[in-house]
Amino acid sequence: MQVLQKISEELQKGNFIEVPKLIQKALDTEIPPSKILSDGLVAGMDVVGERFRCDEIFIPEVLISAKAMHAGMDVLRPKLIETGTKLVGKIVLGAVRGDFHDIGKNIVGMMMEGAGYQVIDLGVDVTTEKFVKAVESNRPNILGLSALLTTTMPMMKLVIEALVEAGVRNSVKVMVGGAPITEKFAKEIGADGYAPDAASAVEKVRHLSG
Amino acid sequence: MGIRKDGLKGSQLKILTEAEIEYIHKSSLKLLENIGMRIYDEDILNLLKKAGCKVNFSTKVSKASGEFIEGILKETTNQVKLCGRSFRNDINLGDGTVYARTPGGPPFITDLNTGERREGTINDVALSCKIADALENIHGISVFQVVPMDVPRMCLDVYAAKASFENTEKHLFYYTQNQDLIDYVLEMAVIVAGGEYELKKRPLLSGFCEVTSPLKLEQSQTMLLKCFVKRGLPVYTQSHPIAGITSPVTLAGEVALMNADTLMVVAISQLLNRGTPIFYGTSASVPDMRKALNLAGTVEVGLLGCALAQMANFYHLPSAMSSGIDSKIPDGQAVMERIFTALPPILAGLDLINLSTTNTKMTFSPSLLVIDNELMNWIGRLLRGITVNDETLAIDLTENVAFRNNFLSEMHTIKHFREELLESKLVSRETWDDWKNAGSQSYWQRAQDCAKIISNDHHPTPLSEEVQKGLATIVKFAEDHIK
């Protein structure tokens, strides 16, 4: 399948203009959407992932490929849903109430898109209620909470408690991150996972999603 | 008085030419003119509008013309006085000497006894202030030198401020963890100073206003700026761009952005109160591109510090910058990172070096502080240079002694050796056998022992009972009213 090979190659180059065009071309030639996903996009991201793990490429290069993946998925996702293909998953992200730092969260979001996840980013200073509503309406696999300040860290526990109260705690895996966050803190507040940086966050999410 | 640098004899390390400084300056002005800064503060936006800036109240963006910025820069002072509880601890930033301080932020501490990393406590705030207070080359201390994780989270500011005022006579640098407590902390400073007027005359506290690069000013930061400026107190501003993440990855672009971030706040400070003492800081850094995580101790940080020193000098503003360490412990890597991020900026004319801690600003290490103090001694000796005059050339002496004897017992040697040769109690200079017999200690272990001795033996002048009660009352009030 030449076009699928081309999708993989252009994705590896981070060509976010070309990849959606090629996806459309592949759809027009009636290649099944699930095959375009597996042999085109995912195949490309697998190579990217491997090169990243070997330190051949770094985060910026992964991110432009993720951008191309995201652009490709915008075209492909509706077709995948139509044909009933199981999607990788949905993740809701946000910085907790009182915290306006978003760089880390944004990078995590971009990496997740690279891994094929649909990312709903609630932004910064997100209230507990807003997190709960987002979980209820989007039914994500993962809820990611970020905080950079020692004063906003306690909000993470409040979000988890609110999920319990709303009866949706078991429907979602909660991950936490941010510079002052530790594995120990994550366990203490009842989170399901923690990762120290964006790349290992993707690995952890994959692991939690099963 | 800080560390003198007469030995440089007027020369400085220059990594930017005059033309490049001018080019960067013009580029920063272009940023402010073309896209401006997003400022989450109606008062300040109104002030900027009144001063003639183009303000969009719905996007909260204020642009600023080159003429406006250049005009207002003329209002700034080139020296900033920061006072301690005792006169001998006063800092005159911009007086041509070099000062050092500890910055704030680490929620962890390397335990002095076990050497293990653990969460910081309010006792650690007291202990770390005491140690810094004793070290002659640490001139100022951050209120959050260690962030206490064992006190009510919303009251961090007042707890840390009280413990800091009680345990040091040196100047305190304050940034806010909870903006609702800014006035409480200022009230504490008033009580310690003995009155509003006394505090203004001898500012025991300076306030920190940080721009979120690129070009965004949050409400908590403007609140602090306004509170301090209103009382005529000194402020320091900085931004923290990270190359390739919140600024262009090319360092020149990062410097131009850092400069734009800072110039806007300097301008705002003068609009709020003409003549506000303000100094130009930075925490500009670079990331580890393998993980997109911030780094504090790279050689590029040193370069950025040099650029900052030169840019601040261009504006006749005192400069400050954060030297950092990514190593998790005070080891060889830590010292390497410290030297590369502290020495070049100092040689480039930096006025104040922030000696930030291990583990990329996350872990305070008492032993490291002792090592840093020693490093500043070495830097001080370097900055004293080589004095050349008839006395130091000592040609007559050499002619007398050359074929007869050695110089050891000459009066000239006795007169000069203590000043000429830096004595260093901390580094190992003994023979192998002596070192082995004394316990084969590493530099880190000796620093740790020194920190332990200081923590036991050093006692800053206590605050009066009345003042201590006043501070305790404020803490209690905060606990009852701030949730």
Side-chain angles (χ1 to χ4, degrees):
Chain A
M1 290 283 178
Q2 266 204 340
V3 68
L4 297 183
Q5 174 72 7
K6 200 86 177 61
I7 288 170
S8 169
E9 280 167 12
E10 291 306 312
L11 183 139
Q12 289 171 48
K13 287 186 209 154
N15 196 337
F16 58 89
I17 308 278
E18 207 44 37
V19 165
K21 285 188 189 154
L22 291 167
I23 301 268
Q24 192 56 57
K25 193 168 162 197
L27 286 167
D28 293 342
T29 59
E30 307 215 327
I31 301 170
S34 59
K35 201 167 166 69
I36 300 173
L37 179 66
S38 60
D39 295 8
L41 294 175
V42 174
M45 282 313 286
D46 279 348
V47 175
V48 169
E50 189 50 40
R51 294 184 67 206
F52 176 70
R53 269 185 291 279
C54 299
D55 276 349
E56 265 176 47
I57 59 172
F58 296 163
I59 296 279
E61 288 121 340
V62 173
L63 288 177
I64 50 166
S65 291
K67 201 169 171 182
M69 175 82 176
H70 176 72
M73 285 301 282
D74 273 349
V75 176
L76 196 59
R77 190 174 283 111
K79 298 294 173 194
L80 289 168
I81 293 170
E82 239 177 65
T83 55
T85 312
K86 185 175 182 295
L87 294 175
V88 172
K90 238 190 245 179
I91 172 165
V92 168
L93 291 177
V96 296
R97 183 77 196 275
D99 210 306
F100 293 85
H101 298 92
D102 62 357
I103 302 300
K105 170 186 68 65
N106 294 348
I107 297 173
V108 167
M110 288 161 85
M111 294 289 280
M112 292 294 176
E113 281 178 344
Y117 286 84
Q118 190 184 355
V119 175
I120 297 126
D121 190 339
L122 302 175
V124 296
D125 187 31
V126 181
T127 60
T128 310
E129 295 75 32
K130 199 166 171 194
F131 275 121
V132 172
K133 276 205 179 73
V135 168
E136 283 170 342
S137 55
N138 291 289
R139 301 183 165 284
N141 311 66
I142 308 279
L143 173 66
L145 308 174
S146 98
L148 196 76
L149 303 172
T150 43
T151 37
T152 54
M153 280 165 66
M155 299 306 303
M156 290 179 164
K157 187 165 183 205
L158 294 180
V159 172
I160 292 174
E161 284 169 358
L163 292 171
V164 171
E165 232 186 88
V168 291
R169 175 67 184 94
N170 293 325
S171 72
V172 68
K173 297 277 190 232
V174 179
M175 274 197 55
V176 293
I181 311 295
T182 56
E183 187 82 60
K184 180 166 168 268
F185 175 78
K187 279 204 178 78
E188 271 168 16
I189 62 167
D192 298 297
Y194 155 80
D197 60 80
S200 47
V202 175
E203 287 309 308
K204 190 77 194 191
V205 160
R206 274 210 185 102
H207 177 73
L208 285 177
S209 302
Chain B
M1 167 102 89
I3 292 168
R4 295 176 59 154
K5 49 185 186 184
D6 307 7
L8 294 179
K9 294 168 187 156
S11 74
Q12 313 233 92
L13 177 62
K14 284 185 170 49
I15 57 147
L16 299 171
T17 64
E18 300 292 318
E20 286 167 345
I21 291 173
E22 189 68 49
Y23 196 12
I24 290 172
H25 166 68
K26 289 274 184 276
S27 306
S28 306
L29 292 186
K30 200 165 161 203
L31 279 173
L32 291 176
E33 209 162 289
N34 290 349
I35 63 167
M37 180 176 278
R38 179 163 279 141
I39 300 168
Y40 291 86
D41 191 305
E42 286 288 305
D43 293 340
I44 290 179
L45 288 172
N46 276 316
L47 211 57
L48 286 161
K49 177 128 182 112
K50 243 174 91 180
C53 295
K54 288 201 187 97
V55 177
N56 181 328
F57 285 90
S58 53
T59 59
K60 303 194 193 305
V61 170
S62 171
K63 298 185 183 174
S65 69
E67 294 79 38
F68 168 74
I69 297 285
E70 283 179 334
I72 211 157
L73 281 172
K74 297 195 178 101
E75 314 278 334
T76 57
T77 56
N78 59 2
Q79 276 200 34
V80 175
K81 187 165 172 158
L82 308 168
C83 301
R85 279 204 271 134
S86 51
F87 287 82
R88 68 172 186 277
N89 288 316
D90 287 359
I91 295 172
N92 283 306
L93 272 193
D95 66 358
T97 65
V98 179
Y99 295 91
R101 75 160 179 116
T102 58
F108 296 101
I109 184 170
T110 307
D111 189 279
L112 199 47
N113 296 309
T114 66
E116 296 294 313
R117 183 179 96 143
R118 57 170 175 74
E119 276 187 352
T121 65
I122 194 67
N123 285 341
D124 294 326
V125 176
L127 170 80
S128 62
C129 279
K130 243 178 46 156
I131 295 175
D133 189 75
L135 296 170
E136 72 275 20
N137 294 316
I138 308 294
H139 304 98
I141 299 172
S142 169
V143 164
F144 287 112
Q145 191 174 225
V146 178
V147 178
M149 303 295 275
D150 61 341
V151 299
R153 214 52 82 88
M154 296 317 283
C155 292
L156 283 177
D157 299 48
V158 290
Y159 273 96
K162 178 172 176 287
S164 301
F165 275 122
E166 283 170 348
N167 288 281
T168 182
E169 298 177 61
K170 293 184 177 174
H171 180 81
L172 290 173
F173 294 83
Y174 169 62
Y175 75 91
T176 183
Q177 291 264 10
N178 179 355
Q179 67 195 60
D180 293 338
L181 291 172
I182 297 169
D183 276 325
Y184 288 68
V185 171
L186 282 167
E187 269 314 302
M188 286 179 151
V190 166
I191 291 175
V192 176
E196 287 269 6
Y197 172 74
E198 283 76 8
L199 180 65
K200 187 175 170 178
K201 196 152 161 259
R202 288 188 52 75
L204 302 178
L205 200 66
S206 45
F208 175 68
C209 174
E210 184 175 71
V211 171
T212 307
S213 295
L215 299 164
K216 192 167 76 166
L217 193 55
E218 308 278 5
Q219 202 195 42
S220 61
Q221 304 304 302
T222 57
M223 266 196 75
L224 189 144
L225 182 66
K226 289 188 296 191
C227 287
F228 271 72
V229 168
K230 188 169 66 184
R231 293 181 197 231
L233 297 175
V235 287
Y236 57 109
T237 185
Q238 71 165 39
S239 67
H240 192 327
I242 307 174
I245 300 186
T246 51
S247 84
V249 76
T250 42
L251 300 185
E254 185 173 5
V255 173
L257 174 61
M258 164 195 94
N259 197 43
D261 282 337
T262 310
L263 288 180
M264 193 64 168
V265 175
V266 172
I268 292 169
S269 74
Q270 301 307 302
L271 277 185
L272 284 167
N273 194 357
R274 228 131 271 230
T276 290
I278 185 164
F279 61 97
Y280 186 150
T282 195
S283 267
S285 67
V286 301
D288 172 4
M289 277 308 191
R290 283 173 298 185
K291 294 184 190 286
L293 289 179
N294 183 46
L295 296 175
T298 71
V299 60
E300 294 85 5
V301 169
L303 278 170
L304 290 162
C306 292
L308 163 98
Q310 286 189 258
M311 293 308 300
N313 186 52
F314 176 71
Y315 300 116
H316 305 295
L317 286 168
S319 56
M321 154 276 173
S322 288
S323 148
I325 291 176
D326 298 311
S327 180
K328 313 303 165 262
I329 50 177
D331 59 358
Q333 177 184 337
V335 176
M336 185 167 102
E337 290 170 332
R338 172 65 84 223
I339 291 174
F340 269 82
T341 56
L343 186 57
I346 287 174
L347 292 174
L350 192 77
D351 296 296
L352 172 68
I353 185 89
N354 305 341
L355 301 165
S356 73
T357 59
T358 54
N359 184 205
T360 319
K361 307 185 186 190
M362 285 286 127
T363 305
F364 177 83
S365 163
S367 336
L368 176 71
L369 201 53
V370 172
I371 290 173
D372 280 335
N373 186 63
E374 174 74 354
L375 265 168
M376 291 308 294
N377 271 335
W378 283 53
I379 290 176
R381 180 62 187 95
L382 184 74
L383 296 176
R384 273 198 289 123
I386 294 178
T387 312
V388 179
N389 55 38
D390 288 337
E391 176 72 8
T392 60
L393 283 165
I395 298 301
D396 287 349
L397 178 68
T398 307
E399 283 174 357
N400 262 326
V401 176
F403 300 128
R404 289 195 299 112
N405 206 348
N406 63 54
F407 293 74
L408 264 178
S409 56
E410 293 294 322
M411 278 315 293
H412 183 270
T413 306
I414 291 170
K415 187 177 170 193
H416 292 290
F417 86 89
R418 279 190 178 79
E419 202 188 304
E420 199 73 356
L421 310 175
L422 179 69
E423 200 209 343
S424 187
K425 293 207 177 88
L426 209 57
V427 297
S428 161
R429 290 179 169 169
E430 64 272 40
T431 62
W432 178 272
D433 284 332
D434 281 349
W435 174 74
K436 201 95 207 300
N437 294 333
S440 316
Q441 278 195 314
S442 68
Y443 190 32
W444 177 17
Q445 285 165 324
R446 276 194 299 281
Q448 195 173 13
D449 285 349
C450 183
K452 282 184 193 165
I453 291 170
I454 295 173
S455 67
N456 286 325
D457 292 354
H458 180 68
H459 303 285
T461 310
L463 296 168
S464 73
E465 229 183 86
E466 194 193 334
V467 169
Q468 285 188 48
K469 254 199 216 133
L471 299 187
T473 307
I474 294 179
V475 173
K476 181 86 189 23
F477 192 81
E479 273 183 326
D480 293 341
H481 292 87
I482 305 285
K483 295 293 169 217

